[in-house]
Amino acid sequence: MSKFTAQASDATGIATIRTLAADIVGKANSGHPGAPMGMAPVAHVLFTRFINANPKNSKWFNRDRFVLSNGHACALLYILLHLTGYKLSLDDLKAFRQIDSLTPGHPEARHTDGIEVTTGPLGQGISNAVGLAIAQTHLAAEFNRDGFELIDNYTYAFLGDGCLQEGVSSEACSLAGHLQLGNLIAIWDDNHISIDGDTKVAFTENVEQRYLAYGWQVLHVDNGDSDLESIYNAIAAARQEKSKPTLIRLHTTIGFGSKLQGTHGVHGSPLKADDIAALKAKNGFDPKASFVVPQATYDAYAEVGKRGAALEAKWNALLQGYAQNYPTEHAELTRRISGKLPADWEKTLPIYKASDAAQASRKLSEIVLTAITPKLPELLGGSADLTGSNLTKVKGSEDFQPPSTGLGSYKGTYIRYGVREHGMGAIANGIAAYGGIIPFVATFLNFVSYAAGAVRLSALSGHRVIWVATHDSIGLGEDGPTHQPIETAIHFRATPNLAFWRPADGNETSAAYKVALESESTPSILSLSRQNLPNLETSTIEKASRGGYVVNEEEKEDLTIVSTGSEVSIALEAAFELKKQGLKTRVVSLPCWLVFDKQPEEYRLSVLRSGAPILSLEAYSTAGWAKYSHEQYGLAGWGASGPYKQVYEKFGITGPNIAKVGKKVVDFYKAKGGEVVSPLVKAFQL
Amino acid sequence: MSKFTAQASDATGIATIRTLAADIVGKANSGHPGAPMGMAPVAHVLFTRFINANPKNSKWFNRDRFVLSNGHACALLYILLHLTGYKLSLDDLKAFRQIDSLTPGHPEARHTDGIEVTTGPLGQGISNAVGLAIAQTHLAAEFNRDGFELIDNYTYAFLGDGCLQEGVSSEACSLAGHLQLGNLIAIWDDNHISIDGDTKVAFTENVEQRYLAYGWQVLHVDNGDSDLESIYNAIAAARQEKSKPTLIRLHTTIGFGSKLQGTHGVHGSPLKADDIAALKAKNGFDPKASFVVPQATYDAYAEVGKRGAALEAKWNALLQGYAQNYPTEHAELTRRISGKLPADWEKTLPIYKASDAAQASRKLSEIVLTAITPKLPELLGGSADLTGSNLTKVKGSEDFQPPSTGLGSYKGTYIRYGVREHGMGAIANGIAAYGGIIPFVATFLNFVSYAAGAVRLSALSGHRVIWVATHDSIGLGEDGPTHQPIETAIHFRATPNLAFWRPADGNETSAAYKVALESESTPSILSLSRQNLPNLETSTIEKASRGGYVVNEEEKEDLTIVSTGSEVSIALEAAFELKKQGLKTRVVSLPCWLVFDKQPEEYRLSVLRSGAPILSLEAYSTAGWAKYSHEQYGLAGWGASGPYKQVYEKFGITGPNIAKVGKKVVDFYKAKGGEVVSPLVKAFQL
Ligand SMILES: [Ca+2]
Ligand SMILES: [Ca+2]
C-alpha cells in the first residue's frame, strides 16, 4: 500500500477551500458553508492524491467518478473543479446560486463541466454511485482483456448523515454489498449535525454495523479535520479491497474554523462577515480579501490535471493497442462509449398485422427485448423482483452477479434488483451517467411512484433510462386498488423531459422502444398492460413514433375519441357502435404526449382537429386530458379488485357504454351550436 | 414468562388455515397461497395465545393492532378474521378477489371489518406498525395513570422479505429503534423465496445484524413450520422486552404442505387441484370437500373472541374508574378516541386584514399551529429534519423521545423524523389509523414525492394526515431545479381523496388548516411558500374553505385569471395593469381543487363563469389546469437557481408580463368571436 507524503501545499490548499467556501456562500448570501469547510481535508487528499481524471477532458471514459451525494455542499465541488482546471472560473464561483450561472444551488450534470450526476435530493448521489460502480464492473468484465485493463476506474462518493437516513440509499447500498462492488468507495461526513441539530435526536442507529450487515468493508478516521495521513490510509485501504464496497466513517467538525463550528448554525446559512474575516486570519489569509487562491494552491492542483492528462494519454495508447489486438471489441467499445446505436438496429423491431394474435403489451415488450437484444448488447436490464410478471429477462441472458455466488457473472446483462424500486431507479441513473450502457428497469407502473425521486432526477439530468412499467391500469384486475394506478400517468406526463408511453398494440410497443432508445437524453416510462390487446388495423411504428396519430379516420366526423393503450381498442368498439347509429367517429391514439407535443403544429392540428367534439378515454384519472379534448372519460376515484373485464364493466369502460357517452357528447355539442374548435388552438404557446 | 401449552386443536387449526388458504386462492384462481400456508403456525399461535382484541367490536380502543405487511398474503388475514368472528363470512372468503367483495386482492382498511391498515404495497405495513406503536406509546404517556393502564396494547406485524428490502421500512425501523418502541413486535417470514426465486439472488445482507444496528431486539425461530412452542416463546420474549422493538426471524417453508412447497411456484399462483386435494388428505381433511372449517377450529378460535370480549369488558370497567378518578382526562381521552374536534376550536384560527404584514405561508402555517395547538392536543407533529425551514415546531413543545435520551419524553408532541420522508409518511398513516391523534408531518413540497407510496395509501385509506409542505415552487429560489416542484401539484391533485391546498395568504392558510382538520377521512397536503405573500383584500376563512372563490370581482369582465398561492397576488397585479388599459379582469383563487369540485354546480359556475376567457396562472406545470380555464400560463420546463424574484422574472410570472399574456388572451377570444363558455360546462359528469 502506498504511503502518505505530506506537502507544504496541503495546509494552504485546505485553507483555500475553507475560505473560498465561506466567500462563495457569503457573496451569494445563500447556501451551505458547513460541509464544504468540514470536508475540505478529505476533498484535498482525495483530489490531490487519488482522483484520476483529466480536467481538460471531463468525458475521458476511464476517469474516476466523483459523486457529491450531499449536493447542498456543492460549493466544495465547484471549488475543486475550479482548482483542478475544469471549465469553471473564479467568476463562476462568484456567481454561485445566481440565475443562469454555471454554479446553481445544487450541482447539475450536463450543466456544469465535470459534474457526473445531479445531486441535492438526499440519498440519490450515493445510489447513483452504486450504478456508476455497476457500470464500471460490467464494462470491465465485458471489454477488459489481459494486459488491457481499459475500464478500471474507482467511484468515490461523499455523503452526509441525511443520505444515510434516506431509504433509497439503504436499498442501493444493500444491493451494492450483495454485488460485491469493490471499486466503490463512500466517505461519510460524520459530523453529528443535520438541520434539526445534533443527529442524536433521530439518528442513533449503528451505521457501521448496518453497512457491515450489507457486506461492506467499513473503515474509520477519527480526526477528519486535520489527520491527512489517516484519511490517506483509509482511502488507500479502500482501494485495496477489491471484493467489497467500502464505507469510510470520517469524523469531521462541520464548519471547521468558524466561530460556530460543530453546530447546525453553519449548516445552511452564510457565515457572518466577522466570522469569515477571523477564519481567514486564522488561516494566514488576508481578512479583507475575498476569493483568494494562493499560487501554491493552484500549483498543487495543477499536478492533478497533469497526472490526469498523462493517464488519459497512457490510456489512449492502451486503447490503440487494444484496437490492434481486439479490433471487434475495440469497435464495439468505442461505439458504446459514443452512445450511438448500431446501424439498422431498428430493423430488428417486431412489426405486426391486425390479424396477429392479441397479446398483453408486457408480452409485446418481451418480444421487443428478445428481438433487439442481440443487436443492442448495451442493454442492461433488471426488475425489482417482478421478473416473471414484467417479462423483462430475455431467454438465455445471464444474471449480473459476483462470480463467487455461482449465479452469474459481471458480464451478465440482467440485474436482480430485489424489491427496491427507488434504489433501482437511482442506480439506473448512475449506470446511464457512466455511459456505454442503456439501462432498463422494471416494476408495476403503480410502484414507479416509489421511485419518483429518482425518476424526476433522471428527467432533469437527461438520462437514457427505460422503465418497463407493467400491470398499468385497472386491467391488472384482482390485485385491486392498492396496485391500480390512477394518478400515475399524469404525474409523469407533467414531469418535463420524461416520455410516458402507453402503447395500444404491437406496433406501438415497438415504436415506444424505438423512440425511447433513440432519445439520448430523455428517460422513458413504458406503461404496459397485463391483459391482452388486439393489434390495430392501421398502426405502424412510424405513425406511433410521432406520439399520436389517427387510428380510425372519417370524413366530416361527428366525434373524435382520443385514447391510449388498452382503451384504444375500446374506443374503436365504441366507434363501431356509433357508426351503427349513423354517427361517424374518428379514433386517435396518443401513446406519448411529450413526443406528440413536439410534432409540427400542422400535424397536431390534423390529428386533433377542429370541427367536432373530442372525447378522451383512459382508465386513469382524467386530469390533464382537457389539453387534448373537450370532454373526458376515465376514473373518478379508485379502481377495484376483481377479474379485469368486470372491473372495466364496473367503471363503464366498455365499447357500448363509451358509445353512449359519445352520443351524449355529440348531442351536447349539437345543442350548443357554433363551431367546435380543437383544444390545441390556443391564444399563446408557453 | 408464560409457558406454551399445546392444545389438541392446534394441529387442526393450522391445517384449517392452510387448506382454506389453498381453497380461497384456488376458487378465485388468483392470489398468493404460499405465505398464508407458510405462516399458518405463527398466525395460529399469535391469534389463539396472544392477540387481545374483541372481534365483536373491532374498534375497541386498547385492542392489539395486527398488521399484515406482506399484504398479498391477505387470504391468511381474511381466514383469521373469519375464524375469530369478525364480520366476515365463509361466503366472503369464497368471494376472494371478486368485484365489490369484502375480500379484495389486498387488505383495505375501512373496507373490511378488523383490517387496521391497508397493505400490499411492500414496506408500508411494517412502517404503519411503527406509527401504531408510536401512537400507543404517546397516548399511554399522556393518559395512563397509576392503576389505570388504559393504553397498553401491542402492535404485531408480519412481514416478508420484500418488506425488508424496501427503503421505506428501513427508514421507519431505524426510527423505531431510536424511539425504543418496546410494544412493537415484527415477525419476519424468512422463507428464502420472493418472486424472482431464491432470495439469494438479491438479498444476502445480514438482516439480523441490520436490525441490531437499529437498536432492535432480534430473536430467532428455527422451525416456523411446526415448532409452536418456540414460536410461542419468541413472542412471549418479545412482549417482555419493553425498551426495544423486536424482530423475530421465523424460518418457514413457503406453501408448506404443497407439492411445490419451498419454491416460488407457490408464491403468487393458485395450487393445482390435485395438489390441493393431496394437501387436504395429508392434513386429514376430505380431499373432495372445499372451504371446510372443523368445529374444533371454530371452537378454539371462539376462545379468542371470548378472551377479547372479557378484556374489553374489564377495560370498560377500568375506564369507568378512570372517569371517577380523572374526570378531565377521561373526558379528553374519550373525545380524542371519538376523533371529534373540541367545540369552537376553529375560533382559535388566525384571521387577517389586508393591512397585515406580508408573510410567507410557511410562517402563516406556524402561526396557525401556534394558535390552535393549545386547543388541539391531539396534534402530533414532526418534520423530516427540516424543522427550522418548515416552521413546524410550536414554541415550548416537547420532543417525543424516549426519556432515557434526556431529549424529551413520550408525552412530547414533536417527532424528529430524520431525513426519512417515505418512512415519515407511512408512520403518520399508522398514527392516524390508531386514533386519538392527528399527525402532521413536514418536508419541502418537492420531497413529498419521495413519500408518494405512503401518500397514495393515506388517500386510499382515508387517514387524517396533514403534510406541511413548504418551499413550494420556484419561489424557494436559490436551491434551484432539484428542489423546485413542477409536476408535484398535479400528481397529488390527481390522486383521489387527497386535498392539495395552496393558500394565497393568511386567511387561506387558516382555511386550509380548518378544512384539513375537519376532514376526518381525507389527507391533506398544504403547499406553502418560502417567500412573503401579501394578505388579500377580500379573502376570508369562510370563502377559502369552499376551495375556490372570487378575489377580485368585476361586472362584464374581459378576462378571469384563476390562480393559487403565491401567484394570486401576481394575478391581482396583472388585473390592476389591465384595468389601466381598460380591461376588466376578475381574479379567482382556487386553493383546493378537491374541495372546490365538491361545491354545488351553481356556485362553481358563479366562480368560473361563462362570458369571458379564463386564464390560469401557476408557477408549476400547467397540466390539469385546462379543466378550469381556457388558457394556461405556467412553467414549460424546469425552474432555475437564483434569488426568487429573478426566477419569477425569468419565467415571466410577474404582474406586467401576465397582463401582456392576459391581453393576448382577450384579443384572441375577441377575434374568435362567439360565446365564451365556462370550461366547467360539460356534456356529462363522471
Ligand atoms: Ca451531517
Ligand atoms: Ca419471502
PDB file of all heavy atoms in Angstrom, chain A residues 583-599:
ATOM      1  N   LEU A 583     -73.456   7.723 -36.571  1.00  0.00           N
ATOM      2  CA  LEU A 583     -72.522   8.764 -36.131  1.00  0.00           C
ATOM      3  C   LEU A 583     -71.094   8.368 -36.493  1.00  0.00           C
ATOM      4  O   LEU A 583     -70.634   7.277 -36.151  1.00  0.00           O
ATOM      5  CB  LEU A 583     -72.638   8.975 -34.616  1.00  0.00           C
ATOM      6  CG  LEU A 583     -73.976   9.551 -34.149  1.00  0.00           C
ATOM      7  CD1 LEU A 583     -73.998   9.631 -32.624  1.00  0.00           C
ATOM      8  CD2 LEU A 583     -74.222  10.930 -34.750  1.00  0.00           C
ATOM      9  N   LYS A 584     -70.413   9.271 -37.176  1.00  0.00           N
ATOM     10  CA  LYS A 584     -69.057   8.976 -37.621  1.00  0.00           C
ATOM     11  C   LYS A 584     -68.042   9.377 -36.546  1.00  0.00           C
ATOM     12  O   LYS A 584     -68.027  10.531 -36.106  1.00  0.00           O
ATOM     13  CB  LYS A 584     -68.780   9.702 -38.928  1.00  0.00           C
ATOM     14  CG  LYS A 584     -69.612   9.126 -40.077  1.00  0.00           C
ATOM     15  CD  LYS A 584     -69.166   9.643 -41.421  1.00  0.00           C
ATOM     16  CE  LYS A 584     -69.632  11.078 -41.615  1.00  0.00           C
ATOM     17  NZ  LYS A 584     -69.289  11.601 -42.961  1.00  0.00           N
ATOM     18  N   THR A 585     -67.240   8.450 -36.144  1.00  0.00           N
ATOM     19  CA  THR A 585     -66.321   8.691 -35.034  1.00  0.00           C
ATOM     20  C   THR A 585     -64.884   8.405 -35.442  1.00  0.00           C
ATOM     21  O   THR A 585     -64.557   7.279 -35.839  1.00  0.00           O
ATOM     22  CB  THR A 585     -66.701   7.787 -33.843  1.00  0.00           C
ATOM     23  OG1 THR A 585     -68.070   8.028 -33.510  1.00  0.00           O
ATOM     24  CG2 THR A 585     -65.823   8.081 -32.646  1.00  0.00           C
ATOM     25  N   ARG A 586     -64.079   9.411 -35.380  1.00  0.00           N
ATOM     26  CA  ARG A 586     -62.637   9.199 -35.554  1.00  0.00           C
ATOM     27  C   ARG A 586     -62.061   8.676 -34.239  1.00  0.00           C
ATOM     28  O   ARG A 586     -62.565   8.991 -33.156  1.00  0.00           O
ATOM     29  CB  ARG A 586     -61.913  10.488 -35.902  1.00  0.00           C
ATOM     30  CG  ARG A 586     -62.299  11.088 -37.243  1.00  0.00           C
ATOM     31  CD  ARG A 586     -61.759  12.498 -37.362  1.00  0.00           C
ATOM     32  NE  ARG A 586     -60.324  12.568 -37.632  1.00  0.00           N
ATOM     33  CZ  ARG A 586     -59.440  13.213 -36.895  1.00  0.00           C
ATOM     34  NH1 ARG A 586     -59.814  13.814 -35.780  1.00  0.00           N
ATOM     35  NH2 ARG A 586     -58.168  13.256 -37.248  1.00  0.00           N
ATOM     36  N   VAL A 587     -61.000   7.893 -34.342  1.00  0.00           N
ATOM     37  CA  VAL A 587     -60.293   7.453 -33.132  1.00  0.00           C
ATOM     38  C   VAL A 587     -58.821   7.806 -33.281  1.00  0.00           C
ATOM     39  O   VAL A 587     -58.205   7.525 -34.317  1.00  0.00           O
ATOM     40  CB  VAL A 587     -60.470   5.944 -32.899  1.00  0.00           C
ATOM     41  CG1 VAL A 587     -59.605   5.484 -31.716  1.00  0.00           C
ATOM     42  CG2 VAL A 587     -61.941   5.612 -32.623  1.00  0.00           C
ATOM     43  N   VAL A 588     -58.320   8.463 -32.262  1.00  0.00           N
ATOM     44  CA  VAL A 588     -56.911   8.858 -32.244  1.00  0.00           C
ATOM     45  C   VAL A 588     -56.213   8.125 -31.104  1.00  0.00           C
ATOM     46  O   VAL A 588     -56.745   8.032 -29.992  1.00  0.00           O
ATOM     47  CB  VAL A 588     -56.785  10.390 -32.042  1.00  0.00           C
ATOM     48  CG1 VAL A 588     -55.345  10.779 -31.699  1.00  0.00           C
ATOM     49  CG2 VAL A 588     -57.282  11.131 -33.278  1.00  0.00           C
ATOM     50  N   SER A 589     -55.052   7.586 -31.403  1.00  0.00           N
ATOM     51  CA  SER A 589     -54.216   7.009 -30.348  1.00  0.00           C
ATOM     52  C   SER A 589     -53.128   8.026 -30.015  1.00  0.00           C
ATOM     53  O   SER A 589     -52.500   8.597 -30.907  1.00  0.00           O
ATOM     54  CB  SER A 589     -53.591   5.705 -30.839  1.00  0.00           C
ATOM     55  OG  SER A 589     -52.759   5.169 -29.822  1.00  0.00           O
ATOM     56  N   LEU A 590     -52.921   8.257 -28.738  1.00  0.00           N
ATOM     57  CA  LEU A 590     -51.957   9.284 -28.307  1.00  0.00           C
ATOM     58  C   LEU A 590     -50.974   8.651 -27.315  1.00  0.00           C
ATOM     59  O   LEU A 590     -50.969   8.984 -26.141  1.00  0.00           O
ATOM     60  CB  LEU A 590     -52.717  10.448 -27.651  1.00  0.00           C
ATOM     61  CG  LEU A 590     -52.097  11.840 -27.714  1.00  0.00           C
ATOM     62  CD1 LEU A 590     -52.074  12.375 -29.147  1.00  0.00           C
ATOM     63  CD2 LEU A 590     -52.857  12.810 -26.818  1.00  0.00           C
ATOM     64  N   PRO A 591     -50.142   7.741 -27.790  1.00  0.00           N
ATOM     65  CA  PRO A 591     -49.325   6.973 -26.834  1.00  0.00           C
ATOM     66  C   PRO A 591     -48.313   7.794 -26.047  1.00  0.00           C
ATOM     67  O   PRO A 591     -47.945   7.408 -24.944  1.00  0.00           O
ATOM     68  CB  PRO A 591     -48.625   5.935 -27.725  1.00  0.00           C
ATOM     69  CG  PRO A 591     -48.712   6.467 -29.113  1.00  0.00           C
ATOM     70  CD  PRO A 591     -49.971   7.256 -29.173  1.00  0.00           C
ATOM     71  N   CYS A 592     -47.841   8.918 -26.600  1.00  0.00           N
ATOM     72  CA  CYS A 592     -46.863   9.709 -25.845  1.00  0.00           C
ATOM     73  C   CYS A 592     -47.079  11.200 -26.039  1.00  0.00           C
ATOM     74  O   CYS A 592     -46.833  11.743 -27.120  1.00  0.00           O
ATOM     75  CB  CYS A 592     -45.436   9.338 -26.241  1.00  0.00           C
ATOM     76  SG  CYS A 592     -44.201  10.243 -25.272  1.00  0.00           S
ATOM     77  N   TRP A 593     -47.536  11.867 -24.976  1.00  0.00           N
ATOM     78  CA  TRP A 593     -47.810  13.298 -25.063  1.00  0.00           C
ATOM     79  C   TRP A 593     -46.548  14.095 -25.368  1.00  0.00           C
ATOM     80  O   TRP A 593     -46.577  15.037 -26.156  1.00  0.00           O
ATOM     81  CB  TRP A 593     -48.397  13.807 -23.739  1.00  0.00           C
ATOM     82  CG  TRP A 593     -49.744  13.289 -23.398  1.00  0.00           C
ATOM     83  CD1 TRP A 593     -50.440  12.280 -24.033  1.00  0.00           C
ATOM     84  CD2 TRP A 593     -50.589  13.745 -22.332  1.00  0.00           C
ATOM     85  NE1 TRP A 593     -51.659  12.092 -23.419  1.00  0.00           N
ATOM     86  CE2 TRP A 593     -51.775  12.972 -22.373  1.00  0.00           C
ATOM     87  CE3 TRP A 593     -50.465  14.712 -21.346  1.00  0.00           C
ATOM     88  CZ2 TRP A 593     -52.820  13.160 -21.454  1.00  0.00           C
ATOM     89  CZ3 TRP A 593     -51.498  14.905 -20.436  1.00  0.00           C
ATOM     90  CH2 TRP A 593     -52.668  14.141 -20.486  1.00  0.00           C
ATOM     91  N   LEU A 594     -45.461  13.745 -24.716  1.00  0.00           N
ATOM     92  CA  LEU A 594     -44.230  14.524 -24.877  1.00  0.00           C
ATOM     93  C   LEU A 594     -43.805  14.547 -26.334  1.00  0.00           C
ATOM     94  O   LEU A 594     -43.468  15.601 -26.892  1.00  0.00           O
ATOM     95  CB  LEU A 594     -43.108  13.916 -24.024  1.00  0.00           C
ATOM     96  CG  LEU A 594     -41.787  14.677 -24.038  1.00  0.00           C
ATOM     97  CD1 LEU A 594     -41.842  15.885 -23.117  1.00  0.00           C
ATOM     98  CD2 LEU A 594     -40.618  13.777 -23.631  1.00  0.00           C
ATOM     99  N   VAL A 595     -43.853  13.381 -26.969  1.00  0.00           N
ATOM    100  CA  VAL A 595     -43.428  13.279 -28.368  1.00  0.00           C
ATOM    101  C   VAL A 595     -44.451  13.940 -29.289  1.00  0.00           C
ATOM    102  O   VAL A 595     -44.093  14.655 -30.230  1.00  0.00           O
ATOM    103  CB  VAL A 595     -43.190  11.796 -28.738  1.00  0.00           C
ATOM    104  CG1 VAL A 595     -42.981  11.627 -30.235  1.00  0.00           C
ATOM    105  CG2 VAL A 595     -41.987  11.263 -27.963  1.00  0.00           C
ATOM    106  N   PHE A 596     -45.715  13.755 -29.002  1.00  0.00           N
ATOM    107  CA  PHE A 596     -46.757  14.386 -29.823  1.00  0.00           C
ATOM    108  C   PHE A 596     -46.635  15.910 -29.762  1.00  0.00           C
ATOM    109  O   PHE A 596     -46.747  16.598 -30.777  1.00  0.00           O
ATOM    110  CB  PHE A 596     -48.138  13.937 -29.345  1.00  0.00           C
ATOM    111  CG  PHE A 596     -49.277  14.513 -30.144  1.00  0.00           C
ATOM    112  CD1 PHE A 596     -49.491  14.096 -31.456  1.00  0.00           C
ATOM    113  CD2 PHE A 596     -50.122  15.465 -29.595  1.00  0.00           C
ATOM    114  CE1 PHE A 596     -50.543  14.634 -32.204  1.00  0.00           C
ATOM    115  CE2 PHE A 596     -51.174  15.998 -30.336  1.00  0.00           C
ATOM    116  CZ  PHE A 596     -51.386  15.581 -31.639  1.00  0.00           C
ATOM    117  N   ASP A 597     -46.386  16.424 -28.573  1.00  0.00           N
ATOM    118  CA  ASP A 597     -46.292  17.876 -28.415  1.00  0.00           C
ATOM    119  C   ASP A 597     -45.138  18.476 -29.217  1.00  0.00           C
ATOM    120  O   ASP A 597     -45.128  19.679 -29.490  1.00  0.00           O
ATOM    121  CB  ASP A 597     -46.111  18.249 -26.930  1.00  0.00           C
ATOM    122  CG  ASP A 597     -47.398  18.062 -26.135  1.00  0.00           C
ATOM    123  OD1 ASP A 597     -48.448  17.812 -26.754  1.00  0.00           O
ATOM    124  OD2 ASP A 597     -47.339  18.167 -24.892  1.00  0.00           O
ATOM    125  N   LYS A 598     -44.162  17.643 -29.552  1.00  0.00           N
ATOM    126  CA  LYS A 598     -43.013  18.145 -30.312  1.00  0.00           C
ATOM    127  C   LYS A 598     -43.254  18.113 -31.822  1.00  0.00           C
ATOM    128  O   LYS A 598     -42.406  18.565 -32.588  1.00  0.00           O
ATOM    129  CB  LYS A 598     -41.774  17.306 -29.985  1.00  0.00           C
ATOM    130  CG  LYS A 598     -41.207  17.609 -28.608  1.00  0.00           C
ATOM    131  CD  LYS A 598     -39.956  16.788 -28.351  1.00  0.00           C
ATOM    132  CE  LYS A 598     -39.448  17.040 -26.942  1.00  0.00           C
ATOM    133  NZ  LYS A 598     -38.621  15.922 -26.467  1.00  0.00           N
ATOM    134  N   GLN A 599     -44.364  17.542 -32.269  1.00  0.00           N
ATOM    135  CA  GLN A 599     -44.654  17.489 -33.702  1.00  0.00           C
ATOM    136  C   GLN A 599     -45.043  18.895 -34.181  1.00  0.00           C
ATOM    137  O   GLN A 599     -45.493  19.728 -33.405  1.00  0.00           O
ATOM    138  CB  GLN A 599     -45.802  16.515 -33.983  1.00  0.00           C
ATOM    139  CG  GLN A 599     -45.545  15.097 -33.506  1.00  0.00           C
ATOM    140  CD  GLN A 599     -44.298  14.490 -34.110  1.00  0.00           C
ATOM    141  OE1 GLN A 599     -44.087  14.562 -35.316  1.00  0.00           O
ATOM    142  NE2 GLN A 599     -43.431  13.915 -33.272  1.00  0.00           N
TER     143      GLN A 599
END
